[in-house]
């Protein structure tokens, strides 16, 4: 292998294994910041040694063993409690034999799932701001560098670095325990975890700003985190609901972008480009959520809406009446002006643009939507269908002025010009 090949291998192994390393070290040390530091030390050691000695047969086990040795050394230097020292020393009698390292890693495999789950709840703890949770989750669980996170969200790298540092400091100051919440706290904490994962996905599905309308790598990172969470928490219906929603929405990514990077809206997409495998996976996850019983949650309801689109061969064949009903159920469960705006679109498709416009007009004074470009965009679309072209043009122009994404702004200006 060339030096370049080895470096690419190390990067790939790190992306796959870093979350496990940090999770195990955090359990040992009860310090997420220190755990990440020692995991990074193991990565540096690999970058130094593997080009000379070759890639180990089990690179993940090699990294784990190296990281744990770093943790043991740190604990010894700090003269921590003897009992803990002995417990960890017994756990990691590794010697220099790589095969023994692999065997020792295998004995811990049963714990790694629990460790990952604990790390998920720590990284997504509500004590942190939403921005900090997203950055820390992508760093610890997604294996992304600060530069990659900064480029994905179009903010300076220093900003992301500060968010991560502050997040770790806050977790330490608040003495957030490295544990899965108790049953009476689980629902509230799980909602924070799901919110973070979906925030990451949404930024990839429809980028807030910049010159690209989508960022598929963020969708992939969110999907991977969701799938891992679904395996770690198989009895939580909303986890499967979120995975179902992301799988089905991700199936459209290829069709959302034209040859020159221009946005293609849902009704005009070539459905032959939708990824049928992702749709099948999404429908299976939705069915899995349904089998767990109980009333569907917000993510499961949104997944059911996405499934209606996925099952229709064309926009005209879509069951818009059912989608309108599902949005009404979603609005009753989690009232939101954005949900109501989406319901207006479904109602307009099922019952005509005038019916949808009545709902949209009732939202015009909503403070939460005052800077939301999709409100005038939807209103412009409905006015255009009603033949009120001058009003439609003004709404599209207003929407373009509010849009931060370059591609979306161009599309809205084109629609204004067409009026």
């Amino acid at each position: 292998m060339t030096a370049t090949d080895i470096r690419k291998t190390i990067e790939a192994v790190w992306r796959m294994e870093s979350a496990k390393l940090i999770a195990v070290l955090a359990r040992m040390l009860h310090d997420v910041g220190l755990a990440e530091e020692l995991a990074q030390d193991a990565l540096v050691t690999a970058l130094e040694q593997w080009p000379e000695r070759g890639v180990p047969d089990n690179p993940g086990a090699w990294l784990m063993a190296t990281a744990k040795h770093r943790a043991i050394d740190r604990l010894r230097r700090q003269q921590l409690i003897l009992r803990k020292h002995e417990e960890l020393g017994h756990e990691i009698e590794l010697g220099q034999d790589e095969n023994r390292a692999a065997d020792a890693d295998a004995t811990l495999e049963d714990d790694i799932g629990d460790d990952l789950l604990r790390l998920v709840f720590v990284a997504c703890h509500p004590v942190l701001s939403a921005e900090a949770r997203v950055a820390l989750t992508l760093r610890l669980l997604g294996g992304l560098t600060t530069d990659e996170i900064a480029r994905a969200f179009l903010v300076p790298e220093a900003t992301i670095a500060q968010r991560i540092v502050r997040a770790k400091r806050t977790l330490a100051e608040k003495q957030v325990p490295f544990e899965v919440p108790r049953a009476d706290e689980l629902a509230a904490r799980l909602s924070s975890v799901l919110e973070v994962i979906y925030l990451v996905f949404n930024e990839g599905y429809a980028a807030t700003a910049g010159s690209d309308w989508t960022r598929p790598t963020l969708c992939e990172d969110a999907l991977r985190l969701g799938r891992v969470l679904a395996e770690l928490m198989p009895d939580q219906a909303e986890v499967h609901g979120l995975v179902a929603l992301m799988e089905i929405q991700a199936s459209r990514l290829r069709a959302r972008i034209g040859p020159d990077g221009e946005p293609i809206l849902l009704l005009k997409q070539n459905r032959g480009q939708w990824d049928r495998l992702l749709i099948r996976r999404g429908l299976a996850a939705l069915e899995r959520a349904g089998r767990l019983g109980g009333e569907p949650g917000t993510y499961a309801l949104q997944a059911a809406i996405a499934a209606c689109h996925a099952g229709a061969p064309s926009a005209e064949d879509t069951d818009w009446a059912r989608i309108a009903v599902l949005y009404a159920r979603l609005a009753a469960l989690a009232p939101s002006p954005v949900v109501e705006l989406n319901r207006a679109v479904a109602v307009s498709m099922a019952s005509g643009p005038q019916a949808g416009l009545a709902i949209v007009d009732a939202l015009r004074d909503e403070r939460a939507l005052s800077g939301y470009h999709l409100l005038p965009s939807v209103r412009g679309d409905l006015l255009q269908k009603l033949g009120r072209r001058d009003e439609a043009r003004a709404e599209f122009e207003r929407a373009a002025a509010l849009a931060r994404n370059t591609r979306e702004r161009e599309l809205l200006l084109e629609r204004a010009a067409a009026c």
Side-chain angles (χ1 to χ4, degrees):
M1 289 179 92
T2 66
T4 301
D5 290 336
I6 291 176
R7 187 174 186 88
K8 287 181 178 178
T9 299
I10 293 173
E11 290 173 356
V13 171
W14 174 255
R15 185 64 63 93
M16 290 186 293
E17 301 292 335
S18 60
K20 293 180 183 177
L21 264 64
I22 296 168
V24 169
L25 294 174
R27 169 172 56 84
M28 294 168 67
L29 302 166
H30 297 278
D31 186 327
V32 171
L34 182 56
E36 189 194 5
E37 178 185 326
L38 296 182
Q40 292 279 352
D41 286 348
L43 172 64
V44 171
T45 303
L47 289 168
E48 292 171 347
Q49 296 186 9
W50 292 8
E52 295 180 5
R53 303 180 185 179
V55 178
D57 292 336
N58 191 334
W62 190 98
L63 284 172
M64 184 70 77
T66 302
K68 285 187 193 171
H69 278 306
R70 295 284 191 279
I72 291 294
D73 291 343
R74 180 64 65 98
L75 289 171
R76 283 172 177 158
R77 285 198 302 271
Q78 293 178 346
Q79 297 182 337
L80 291 183
I81 301 173
L82 180 60
R83 180 191 62 76
K84 187 67 175 176
H85 181 200
E86 290 175 346
E87 173 188 324
L88 295 171
H90 176 71
E91 183 179 282
I92 194 162
E93 284 184 352
L94 295 173
Q96 301 301 315
D97 190 327
E98 285 180 7
N99 290 328
R100 292 181 63 198
D103 292 342
D105 186 69
T107 64
L108 288 170
E109 191 65 31
D110 289 342
D111 293 333
I112 284 178
D114 291 339
D115 291 337
L116 277 172
L117 192 56
R118 293 185 189 103
L119 185 60
V120 168
F121 279 100
V122 169
C124 301
H125 199 285
V127 74
L128 304 175
S129 69
E131 294 83 0
R133 278 180 271 163
V134 167
L136 193 61
T137 299
L138 287 174
R139 173 74 176 208
L140 300 183
L141 291 154
L144 275 67
T145 64
T146 52
D147 177 57
E148 288 172 323
I149 300 169
R151 279 190 280 117
F153 287 91
L154 301 179
V155 295
E157 184 177 354
T159 300
I160 294 296
Q162 288 172 0
R163 286 177 187 171
I164 292 172
V165 168
R166 287 174 187 152
K168 293 175 188 173
R169 186 184 304 135
T170 299
L171 293 174
E173 290 173 352
K174 300 292 185 180
Q175 298 183 330
V176 172
F178 189 70
E179 64 184 14
V180 176
R182 297 187 303 270
D184 57 335
E185 299 176 349
L186 184 61
R189 289 282 301 280
L190 181 58
S191 67
S192 173
V193 172
L194 299 181
E195 177 191 11
V196 168
I197 294 175
Y198 197 41
L199 276 172
V200 174
F201 181 88
N202 267 342
E203 186 59 30
Y205 190 74
T208 305
S211 57
D212 295 319
W213 199 38
T214 65
R215 299 195 179 99
T217 53
L218 277 181
C219 292
E220 292 166 8
D221 285 322
L223 256 175
R224 182 167 56 84
L225 291 173
R227 289 166 182 162
V228 168
L229 188 62
E231 294 308 311
L232 295 175
M233 305 187 75
D235 59 341
Q236 294 293 324
E238 267 294 75
V239 175
H240 299 297
L242 175 59
V243 171
L245 174 58
M246 293 192 297
E247 298 275 16
I248 298 172
Q249 285 188 317
S251 73
R252 306 179 201 148
L253 280 170
R254 222 173 15 198
R256 281 170 59 78
I257 301 295
D260 297 321
E262 70 276 14
I264 300 178
L265 301 180
L266 176 63
L267 300 186
K268 295 185 177 180
Q269 288 173 14
N270 177 0
R271 300 186 177 215
Q273 289 186 316
W274 290 2
D275 190 321
R276 308 316 296 185
L277 174 60
L278 288 177
I279 290 173
R280 288 196 296 272
R281 293 183 65 151
L283 295 176
L286 185 58
E287 182 182 350
R288 193 173 177 185
R291 286 201 303 268
L292 289 169
E295 289 296 315
T298 57
Y299 295 111
L301 284 172
Q302 291 178 76
I305 292 168
C308 286
H309 291 298
S314 68
E316 294 74 23
D317 294 321
T318 304
D319 190 348
W320 290 104
R322 172 166 169 72
I323 291 176
V325 169
L326 288 169
Y327 270 122
R329 292 176 64 186
L330 183 60
L333 182 62
S336 158
V338 174
V339 171
E340 195 66 4
L341 182 62
N342 287 324
R343 186 175 77 85
V345 174
V347 167
S348 75
M349 296 298 292
S351 306
Q354 189 61 55
L357 185 62
I359 298 173
V360 172
D361 283 346
L363 296 171
R364 295 179 73 184
D365 294 329
E366 282 282 352
R367 181 175 296 180
L369 298 181
S370 60
Y372 190 52
H373 69 286
L374 291 183
L375 176 61
S377 173
V378 169
R379 191 165 189 273
D381 182 67
L382 298 176
L383 289 168
Q384 186 179 36
K385 289 176 179 177
L386 290 168
R388 295 159 62 177
R389 289 182 170 274
D390 289 342
E391 294 173 84
R393 184 181 67 253
E395 291 293 342
F396 285 133
E397 289 173 347
R398 179 166 170 260
L402 292 171
R404 293 169 54 197
N405 184 280
T406 303
R407 294 290 189 177
E408 198 166 13
R409 187 184 307 119
E410 290 171 353
L411 175 64
L412 289 165
L413 289 174
E414 288 174 8
R415 299 195 70 186
C419 292

